[in-house]
Amino acid sequence: MEIFGAIEAGGTKFVCAVAGEGGGSLRTATIPTGDPDTTFAQVARFFAEAGDIGELAAIGVASFGPVGVDPHKSDYGRILATPKPHWEGTDMIARVKAFADVPVGIDTDVNAAALAEVAAGDGAVRQLAYVTVGTGIGVGLVSDGQPVHGIGHPEAGHILVRRHLAHDGFAGLCPFHGDCLEGLAAGPAVAAAWGLSPSHIPEEHPFWTVEADYLAQLCMTLFLSFAPERIVLGGGVMKQQRLIPLIRSRTVELLGGYLRALDSEEAMAQRIVAPACKEPSGLEGAYLLARQAAARR
Ligand SMILES: [Zn+2]
């Protein structure tokens, strides 16, 4: 049997998985992200052991960024400037090719997730943004069915936002920009600003309003600049299901009636949604990258 490999390469963990022609992971493993040598040694072991399931046709890598995504450039497949120790300059494609002589596809975890969310839909959505809010904030964009690349890939997690009054004394945590969106609203920023983990915040805490406001500012910017038919919100912080309705209503408020198609909570409920993929969107996206790489062969 022919199998496809998926690697969702994250800053805290690598999820490796294999699926057959019909999709759906047959086996998965979660590997804590250490240095590249240690991490890829375990990734290689997983795929070697998966040889008992079938013959590997291709591997897709949905990688944390920034990562080179242009096959015509010398940094293709390489991790670019990152605060993550040991990873800058790592050639993700060469690391995979070192243990598996198969076609390898790569994109950012969020672009891959956006591709998977388009594929999970009914075919009506061609323009989609996938946002992850976790240890960082990432935004993947798919336009007319293709992931958006240009000068690298989108990095809308680092846009500047208007600071919430209840957040006044907090400087923000982004090592590059201080109080950009990620610096104010990603998981570590939430913990630093409020001294609380997002999963343990009482209902009446100002966090909910502040967090929804920042993420609504992102949604507004995405609607205005990119006109997505759907914005999918995923990631660890978004597991707090109270957030999505708050973000929807704040986005309607911020847009102030300017975009007619989005001028009600009912309309927004169709546009700002939780992930639809059965498996984590990034992992399903990695399978799509693998299938594309196999088809290009
Ligand atoms: Zn930033």
Side-chain angles (χ1 to χ4, degrees):
M1 172 167 104
E2 198 170 57
I3 57 172
F4 295 89
I7 303 173
E8 189 180 14
T12 52
K13 62 179 198 277
F14 273 45
V15 179
C16 300
V18 292
E21 195 54 60
S25 293
L26 301 168
R27 189 182 294 168
T28 63
T30 300
I31 295 163
T33 307
D35 62 64
D37 286 348
T38 316
T39 310
F40 274 103
Q42 293 181 71
V43 172
R45 194 172 315 131
F46 171 82
F47 284 103
E49 287 171 7
D52 64 1
I53 302 178
E55 193 182 340
L56 202 56
I59 293 180
V61 183
S63 177
F64 67 84
V67 60
V69 289
D70 182 346
H72 305 295
K73 288 196 184 141
S74 59
D75 65 8
Y76 181 54
R78 283 184 190 273
I79 301 295
L80 308 175
T82 173
K84 286 179 191 67
H86 314 298
W87 283 88
E88 190 168 328
T90 299
D91 186 336
M92 303 293 272
I93 295 178
R95 292 277 181 167
V96 172
K97 294 259 188 197
F99 65 79
D101 183 24
V102 294
V104 177
I106 190 166
D107 210 315
T108 61
D109 45 5
V110 279
N111 264 353
L115 275 176
E117 288 294 329
V118 168
D122 53 9
V125 173
R126 303 282 293 164
Q127 191 89 344
L128 180 144
Y130 182 91
V131 178
T132 180
V133 188
T135 50
I137 297 183
V139 178
L141 297 174
V142 165
S143 181
D144 200 22
Q146 294 298 318
V148 171
H149 297 153
I151 302 175
H153 49 77
E155 285 281 5
H158 292 268
I159 62 167
L160 296 177
V161 289
R162 193 158 57 188
R163 186 182 276 266
H164 197 284
L165 290 178
H167 218 180
D168 215 16
F170 180 57
L173 286 189
C174 177
F176 295 92
H177 319 112
D179 61 354
C180 68
L181 176 66
E182 178 173 299
L184 290 172
V190 171
W194 307 110
L196 290 164
S197 144
S199 52
H200 294 91
I201 297 185
E203 262 184 49
E204 66 283 4
H205 197 282
F207 157 78
W208 300 101
T209 312
V210 173
E211 188 74 3
D213 177 59
Y214 288 141
L215 295 172
Q217 292 188 57
L218 172 64
C219 289
M220 174 174 175
T221 300
L222 290 171
F223 281 127
L224 293 174
S225 55
F226 180 67
E229 294 153 308
R230 194 161 289 166
I231 297 176
V232 181
L233 300 179
V237 173
M238 293 310 304
K239 292 211 165 71
Q240 305 308 308
Q241 294 178 359
R242 305 184 53 216
L243 269 175
I244 284 196
L246 294 172
I247 293 166
R248 285 181 188 138
S249 54
R250 183 62 180 145
T251 307
V252 171
E253 236 172 64
L254 288 173
L255 283 168
Y258 186 66
L259 299 179
R260 277 290 180 77
L262 299 175
D263 197 21
S264 70
E265 305 233 353
E266 295 70 40
M268 204 57 93
Q270 307 299 312
R271 302 297 178 185
I272 298 179
V273 298
C277 285
K278 291 193 196 79
E279 297 193 71
S281 316
L283 195 69
E284 289 203 16
Y287 284 127
L288 291 177
L289 296 172
R291 287 171 197 280
Q292 289 172 359
R296 278 195 303 268
R297 189 178 215 174

